[in-house]
Amino acid sequence: QVQLVESGGGLVQAGGSLRLSCAAAGRSIRNYVMAWFRQAPGKDRDFVAAISWTVDNTYYADSVKGRFTISRDNAKNTVTLQMDGLKFEDTAVYYCALRTAGGTSPYAVHYDIWGQGTQVTVSS
């Protein structure tokens, strides 16, 4: 069973940057789609970005397109979310997720394994 552990969250001023990492343990993630979701207090868990196993196919929510970049290093078994130009509305708990079957998807129900989340807080 794969375990996912996120890190890199914190407090940042609007306009700043953060780099989130997701480290996988227990199994290689090289053959799986990986994604980031986020959940603000009182709201649903929303899709942020996804990347295919070939690293050539990336998919972003409109709200983060042009500001966030998802990448993966299969040799290190990690996935990274570079977040630039952060806005107050980006404040949320960010989750790393793995999909064991199928392609990139913006739907949380399609992902089978989740990390515990890391808090990102953007001050205005």
Side-chain angles (χ1 to χ4, degrees):
Q1 180 75 349
V2 177
Q3 292 182 321
L4 304 176
V5 179
E6 302 95 335
S7 62
L11 174 64
V12 63
Q13 288 187 333
S17 299
L18 279 176
R19 187 177 180 88
L20 304 184
S21 292
C22 173
R27 187 174 181 179
S28 172
I29 62 170
R30 66 174 60 247
N31 294 320
Y32 302 118
V33 167
M34 300 296 297
W36 288 92
F37 286 77
R38 65 187 182 186
Q39 189 167 18
K43 296 188 177 181
D44 293 334
R45 189 167 295 190
D46 291 332
F47 172 74
V48 175
I51 186 167
S52 69
W53 52 89
T54 65
V55 311
D56 293 333
N57 183 18
T58 56
Y59 182 23
Y60 295 93
D62 288 342
S63 59
V64 307
K65 202 171 294 183
R67 300 188 297 122
F68 290 9
T69 303
I70 188 171
S71 61
R72 66 190 298 163
D73 186 334
N74 287 334
K76 294 183 178 180
N77 231 26
T78 58
V79 178
T80 298
L81 184 69
Q82 177 66 40
M83 306 187 295
D84 299 315
L86 282 162
K87 304 176 181 179
F88 175 75
E89 51 264 39
D90 293 319
T91 296
V93 177
Y94 283 70
Y95 296 91
C96 177
L98 179 151
R99 187 179 189 188
T100 57
T104 53
S105 169
Y107 302 108
V109 68
H110 288 166
Y111 292 83
D112 310 285
I113 299 172
W114 294 82
Q116 83 289 348
T118 186
Q119 176 70 47
V120 171
T121 303
V122 184
S123 61
S124 58

